[in-house]
Amino acid sequence: MTDFLIYLATMVGIWGILSLSLNLQYGVTGLVNLGHIVFFMLGAYISTIMVVLAGWPIFLGMAAGVVAAAAFGALMALPTSNLQQDYWAISTLAAAEIVRLVFLNTQLGGPYSGAAFGMSGIPRPLRAYFTSGSYDLFYMVMVLTVLAICLALCWWVLATPFGRTIKALREGDHVPLALGKRIATFRIRSMALGGGIGGLAGALFAHYNAFISPQYFLPLETFIVWAMVILGGAGNFVGVIVGTVIIQSIYNSTRFLKDFVPIDQALLGSLRMILIAVLIILVILYMPKGLIPERRRRYERPPAAQG
Amino acid sequence: MKRTVLCGALAIGAAMLLGTVPSTVQAQEDVKLGMITSLTGTNAVQGKDIAEGMQLALDRINEGYAVPLKGGETRQIGLGLLGRTVSVIVEDTESRPQAAMDAVRKLVNVDNVPLVLGEYSSGVSLPTGQFTNENKVIQISIGSTSPQLREIGPYFFNAIGLDNIGGAELARLAMRDSGATRFASIVPNNPFGVGMELSACRTVEEMGGECVNKVRYDLEKTDYKAELNRLFQGDPEAVFYTAYGTEARLIFRQAFELGLKPEKGWYADYMTMWSNEVREIPEAAEGVKGWVVGVSGEFYDKEYAAPFEEKYGRASATAFGAYAYDATMLAALAIEEAGSTDPDAVRQALMDVSKTYVGVTGDKTFDDDGMQFEENYEYRVYTRAKLEPYDFAPAN
């Protein structure tokens, strides 16, 4: 049981990092990214390719995954940074699918590696120093530490002038434009930053799971990240981590339901999705800003003393 | 009000999470095995059939059964195993590798099963197999055929022949039957399909022919005309064909409408995957030759098909339930032979019992890597909306 909880905590950490990155793009900058899984995929694939095929050290490979995902974020935003929100959303969905199709059709290594087969036997960092049981614990600690660092980074970014500008961007282009800001640049930088963090989550996932294939990165996965962000509270970084915990818990705890209630196994899978959907509807109806809403800072002056 | 609703929802979630704790106490007496299978998602039909095939074997094990062995002998098994009832905890993989990892982790870490049956898809069996192998838990894959599975490790077994056997068989049949040397191939773009293509085309090359076109298509599309046009470029004499029911119906129909027919015919693997679906427009698939896995014949009917129909009130939906039956029986025989559920003992016993066990899907002997030595293929030709036995006469 402990091993399973460690696994769950690791997955929560990895998905938490991914939802932080979406929150940076959507919750903070207001960019509706429907292809967010692309960063996760690039982080996972590029890191794997560099480590397995090019023979790089694992942590350097992970860094390459982060850089590639960040670069793709910028690249994705370059031609589309002036699009309105709905057009932007469609272009992100398309970009993610294009990348997935490239990996689906590219042989990497031997005839049974890459393409539809995926890549297996991905090495795990510092594996030789731990026993099988303690390694999972080590990885969980590492992932949760990275999550904490990413959270701190996001908070720090919000406190900078850059952070305040992308927040203003979310509310509409007028204010940043009136202040003489080049909105396209800010969008590109936000995409790159969010992309890099998403790529880090992907790299951590690949070297934990030891296997990746294009099947892991279907558009459905993007919507699971969205569910985490909406449920937790877009704009609030702690909120999205809470959202991640809840969605992951629902996913895994429903597996245990059948041990207590005589329920058809096939129903459970669908039931799980219904439960998540109902939760989201409830949250949208009753708490439209999510479980832990973003705290609005008021910048107005205190009213001048009368008299 | 808002808070109440939300707290209620959260409480349900929390209760379900907490509900995980007592599950390890349940059914302490049973010999618990695990199964991962796709009960929902794209592979749900095969996945359910696999669960049902396993259940048939499990009932027999618990009620006591004389398992047929080679040389007309039998081996009595049951009631149960090691004097205890056997239960199989079935976990849904949702046809998604990530959900499958959650499922297999639950089986291994929470339920502590010594052996896992499944899965159907190679994309799921690979990562779950890596995990079970690392944790010294035995896994017997049911329907996965990607040649990568051979590399997983000593605790991983497979109840079905890999693509390298099936693709080679198809290529040999096609070359000898038609005398063609220029082939094209059309397969779904997944590990199963691509594995078939690689193996069939490699065999063709070894036998002096060539694959002039290799088309890999995405599933669930509504139009395959572009793929078909590409397939027939360069005038291949014959075509290797791999498809699931829904796509097979559309691809055959569109090829028929476009008037695209290879001069020396289509050669298909796993023909039962589409023979029912194509019945609506049988003329589109008339004369297609190929093989079905050896799940037919008197022994199969008596041992599996008839009891299955009696139990569930309908025929088995796919060929894969029978493989699940064999995998379950092999696991039971091995545990009985080993006298424990110790993975190393069961692993050795699996090797031994597979040599004498007569599977409903044919000979099940494992090679040193835990893969099938051979697979039983029967040649068929699709004619007048039916799959008929095909006795081919070599063209040269």
Side-chain angles (χ1 to χ4, degrees):
Chain A
M1 188 69 210
T2 321
D3 290 342
F4 190 65
L5 290 177
I6 289 173
Y7 163 70
L8 276 191
T10 312
M11 291 314 288
V12 163
I14 290 171
W15 283 88
I17 298 168
L18 188 61
S19 22
L20 281 183
S21 68
L22 178 64
N23 191 43
L24 203 62
Q25 293 180 352
Y26 168 68
V28 177
T29 322
L31 298 169
V32 180
N33 185 348
L34 296 184
H36 196 70
I37 201 70
V38 73
F39 305 123
F40 193 68
M41 173 167 36
L42 276 167
Y45 262 100
I46 299 298
S47 178
T48 304
I49 290 169
M50 295 326 265
V51 173
V52 176
L53 300 183
W56 286 23
I58 296 178
F59 289 109
L60 204 59
M62 286 181 162
V66 173
V67 171
F72 189 77
L75 192 74
M76 204 162 135
L78 271 177
T80 54
S81 57
N82 288 319
L83 291 182
Q84 290 303 306
Q85 211 174 49
D86 32 5
Y87 297 104
W88 164 278
I90 292 166
S91 71
T92 56
L93 183 63
E97 272 299 274
I98 289 168
V99 174
R100 192 179 68 82
L101 290 176
V102 168
F103 285 122
L104 179 62
N105 291 292
T106 309
Q107 183 184 319
L108 298 163
Y112 295 112
S113 183
F117 293 109
M119 300 195 69
S120 57
I122 303 170
R124 302 167 119 198
L126 308 178
R127 179 67 186 84
Y129 299 98
F130 296 90
T131 60
S132 183
S134 61
Y135 185 76
D136 277 1
L137 187 66
F138 155 74
Y139 211 92
M140 179 193 78
V141 172
M142 182 171 85
V143 165
L144 294 181
T145 311
V146 174
L147 175 68
I149 294 170
C150 289
L151 184 62
L153 175 76
C154 291
W155 276 333
W156 176 75
V157 166
L158 273 195
T160 61
F162 168 73
R164 286 193 291 274
T165 311
I166 55 174
K167 242 175 150 178
L169 205 58
R170 178 184 65 188
E171 308 300 332
D173 296 349
H174 315 313
V175 175
L177 278 176
L179 292 170
K181 306 283 184 190
R182 289 188 57 188
I183 55 169
T185 323
F186 280 89
R187 278 186 178 156
I188 292 167
R189 282 159 65 187
S190 170
M191 281 296 282
L193 184 61
I197 297 175
L200 181 60
L204 285 168
F205 174 76
H207 292 280
Y208 178 63
N209 200 48
F211 175 81
I212 51 167
S213 83
Q215 248 190 309
Y216 277 89
F217 309 108
L218 294 170
L220 170 74
E221 308 297 332
T222 295
F223 294 99
I224 293 174
V225 191
W226 269 93
M228 293 167 179
V229 171
I230 292 172
L231 194 66
N236 187 320
F237 289 106
V238 174
V240 299
I241 293 175
V242 171
T244 310
V245 173
I246 293 175
I247 298 279
Q248 279 289 338
S249 304
I250 291 176
Y251 253 98
N252 285 288
S253 60
T254 39
R255 289 199 179 280
F256 296 88
L257 205 61
K258 69 172 190 308
D259 295 347
F260 304 98
V261 190
I263 185 168
D264 181 23
Q265 259 286 300
L267 269 181
L268 264 182
S270 319
L271 207 64
R272 201 171 294 146
M273 294 320 271
I274 292 173
L275 193 64
I276 292 173
V278 168
L279 254 184
I280 290 179
I281 291 170
L282 283 178
V283 165
I284 288 175
L285 277 180
Y286 295 104
M287 304 184 84
K289 291 183 191 309
L291 288 176
I292 308 182
E294 183 188 7
R295 272 204 317 207
R296 289 282 164 135
R297 287 181 64 177
R298 299 178 73 87
Y299 291 101
E300 64 186 340
R301 279 185 197 173
Q306 293 292 314
Chain B
M1 173 61 192
K2 289 177 191 174
R3 297 268 164 201
T4 324
V5 172
L6 201 70
C7 288
L10 278 179
I12 295 170
M16 281 180 343
L17 193 64
L18 288 174
T20 58
V21 183
S23 67
T24 47
V25 187
Q26 182 227 7
Q28 210 172 16
E29 305 275 300
D30 291 5
V31 173
K32 283 192 295 183
L33 306 178
M35 169 173 258
I36 47 170
T37 190
S38 42
L39 297 172
T40 50
T42 44
N43 300 327
V45 174
Q46 293 89 339
K48 281 180 193 161
D49 195 44
I50 283 170
E52 289 174 344
M54 176 278 291
Q55 190 61 48
L56 184 66
L58 184 64
D59 289 352
R60 287 179 172 176
I61 295 162
N62 280 328
E63 287 160 11
Y65 193 68
V67 183
L69 300 181
K70 283 176 190 160
E73 293 176 23
T74 59
R75 176 171 181 165
Q76 186 61 35
I77 198 167
L79 312 169
L81 288 174
L82 313 174
R84 292 183 280 164
T85 310
V86 185
S87 63
V88 176
I89 304 166
V90 180
E91 290 294 337
D92 182 15
T93 62
E94 303 169 27
S95 314
R96 287 173 56 224
Q98 191 49 56
M101 281 311 292
D102 294 348
V104 80
R105 290 239 180 201
K106 187 228 169 208
L107 287 173
V108 172
N109 291 339
V110 182
D111 300 316
N112 297 314
V113 299
L115 186 145
V116 175
L117 299 161
E119 227 256 65
Y120 165 72
S121 150
S122 300
V124 166
S125 291
L126 269 166
T128 54
Q130 283 185 177
F131 174 75
T132 49
N133 191 64
E134 196 179 315
N135 285 275
K136 295 193 174 167
V137 168
I138 290 169
Q139 182 166 345
I140 309 177
S141 150
I142 308 278
S144 310
T145 55
S146 161
Q148 269 178 312
L149 296 168
R150 184 176 284 282
E151 315 293 325
I152 289 180
Y155 297 94
F156 188 84
F157 292 83
N158 203 343
I160 195 167
L162 300 181
D163 281 351
N164 52 343
I165 310 180
E169 182 74 23
L170 187 66
R172 279 195 294 269
L173 165 70
M175 288 192 82
R176 291 181 186 147
D177 181 58
S178 68
T181 53
R182 291 167 54 77
F183 287 86
S185 145
I186 181 163
V187 297
N189 197 354
N190 60 21
F192 156 62
V194 179
M196 289 303 295
E197 174 207 285
L198 290 174
S199 147
C201 287
R202 193 171 44 228
T203 309
V204 162
E205 278 158 27
E206 282 165 8
M207 292 173 73
E210 61 171 333
C211 277
V212 290
N213 284 322
K214 297 170 186 173
V215 177
R216 300 171 183 180
Y217 61 88
D218 291 328
L219 297 176
E220 293 173 13
K221 282 178 66 173
T222 50
D223 180 43
Y224 288 104
K225 290 197 192 88
E227 283 86 349
L228 280 166
N229 282 323
R230 249 187 320 131
L231 183 70
F232 282 89
Q233 273 168 17
D235 286 329
E237 293 171 287
V239 175
F240 294 129
Y241 182 81
T242 304
Y244 303 105
T246 318
E247 286 79 21
R249 179 170 47 200
L250 185 57
I251 294 173
F252 273 139
R253 199 187 70 207
Q254 292 195 325
F256 184 67
E257 285 167 1
L258 292 170
L260 296 171
K261 192 165 191 259
E263 178 196 333
K264 294 188 174 174
W266 300 88
Y267 287 87
D269 48 55
Y270 297 97
M271 296 170 88
T272 47
M273 289 201 307
W274 47 259
S275 52
N276 282 336
E277 283 81 352
V278 175
R279 215 173 275 165
E280 292 170 15
I281 34 145
E283 60 275 26
E286 181 68 27
V288 175
K289 294 166 195 162
W291 54 251
V292 296
V293 273
V295 284
S296 63
E298 201 182 322
F299 180 73
Y300 170 76
D301 286 339
K302 182 169 77 63
E303 194 72 10
Y304 184 77
F308 185 99
E309 209 160 335
E310 194 180 324
K311 181 171 167 60
Y312 297 104
R314 61 186 154 73
S316 177
T318 72
F320 298 101
Y323 284 93
Y325 175 91
D326 279 342
T328 315
M329 274 300 178
L330 279 168
L333 286 170
I335 291 172
E336 188 83 356
E337 172 93 3
S340 79
T341 53
D342 172 64
D344 286 304
V346 175
R347 185 168 70 86
Q348 189 52 50
L350 265 175
M351 293 287 193
D352 297 339
V353 296
S354 74
K355 290 176 191 144
T356 51
Y357 173 68
V358 181
V360 294
T361 57
D363 186 67
K364 293 283 103 182
T365 309
F366 294 119
D367 66 16
D368 290 343
D369 294 325
M371 302 294 112
Q372 290 295 306
F373 256 116
E374 56 182 64
E375 185 55 79
N376 295 309
Y377 301 105
E378 293 179 6
Y379 297 146
R380 291 282 186 276
V381 57
Y382 190 84
T383 180
R384 290 186 292 278
K386 274 211 299 267
L387 283 179
E388 301 285 355
Y390 179 63
D391 293 320
F392 85 92
N396 40 8

